[in-house]
Amino acid sequence: GRDVVQALVRDVSERKEAEQARFETVARFSGFSEASQYGMGMADLEGRIVYVNPTLVRMLGESSEEECLGKHFPTSYYPPAMTKKLEEEVLPALMREGQWHGELELLTADGRTLQTDENYFVIRDEDGRPTYLADILTDITERKLADKALAESELKYRTFFENSSDAMLMIHDDR
């Protein structure tokens, strides 16, 4: 007999380039997300948190990312009324339309209540199937308190002026 050698050679350079491009994209996203002033999070389709950026960790009143991971987002960080809204309104609209934007009340791990502006969206795989639910949050608590104080002040002065029997004159100097 003769010795026979068979070899199968496959060019994997295209796959390696694609993997490198994906790695670079993930690294860019990570830098973007980690530096953001907005809270960013992702959950799997069962609602288990799989990613939170440092801003969201602080917003949630936790001390580390690990404390958030694996928790069920609708029930872990929202009061019961908001959990109900998420389950009955937000999540169905999110799955139907691919995104949802609105204001929600967040309950932090340390007991604070935050007013938030939230932008939920679906992340899909290459075949268009939903794989993750993502959320970008802004804490609007201070703005809401300022809006409330302004509305109360306007009401107080309007009531005072409208119910006064005295003549009143406002002078405004535009210099």
Side-chain angles (χ1 to χ4, degrees), residues 31-47:
F32 166 79
S33 176
E34 302 295 308
S36 178
Q37 68 179 359
Y38 299 102
M40 297 181 182
M42 288 175 46
D44 63 21
L45 297 180
E46 287 76 43

Side-chain angles (χ1 to χ4, degrees), residues 21 28 48 50 60 90 92 113-114 118 138 145 160 164:
R28 275 194 303 274
R48 286 185 303 268
V50 297
L60 295 174
V90 176
T113 300
L114 301 179
E118 302 197 31
T138 305
L145 291 173
F160 173 73
S164 176

Side-chain angles (χ1 to χ4, degrees), residues 81-102:
M82 290 294 110
T83 298
K84 183 176 180 177
K85 181 176 181 170
L86 277 161
E87 292 172 344
E88 294 178 2
E89 179 187 327
V90 176
L91 294 174
L94 178 62
M95 296 311 290
R96 190 174 53 251
E97 299 165 20
Q99 65 180 24
W100 181 89
H101 177 255

Side-chain angles (χ1 to χ4, degrees), residues 4 22 25 28 39 42 60 85 89 99 105 112 115 127 130 160-162 165:
V4 176
R22 174 170 262 163
T25 298
R28 275 194 303 274
M42 288 175 46
L60 295 174
K85 181 176 181 170
E89 179 187 327
Q99 65 180 24
E105 194 173 88
R112 294 174 295 127
Q115 300 297 317
D127 297 321
F160 173 73
F161 276 97
E162 289 174 354
S165 58

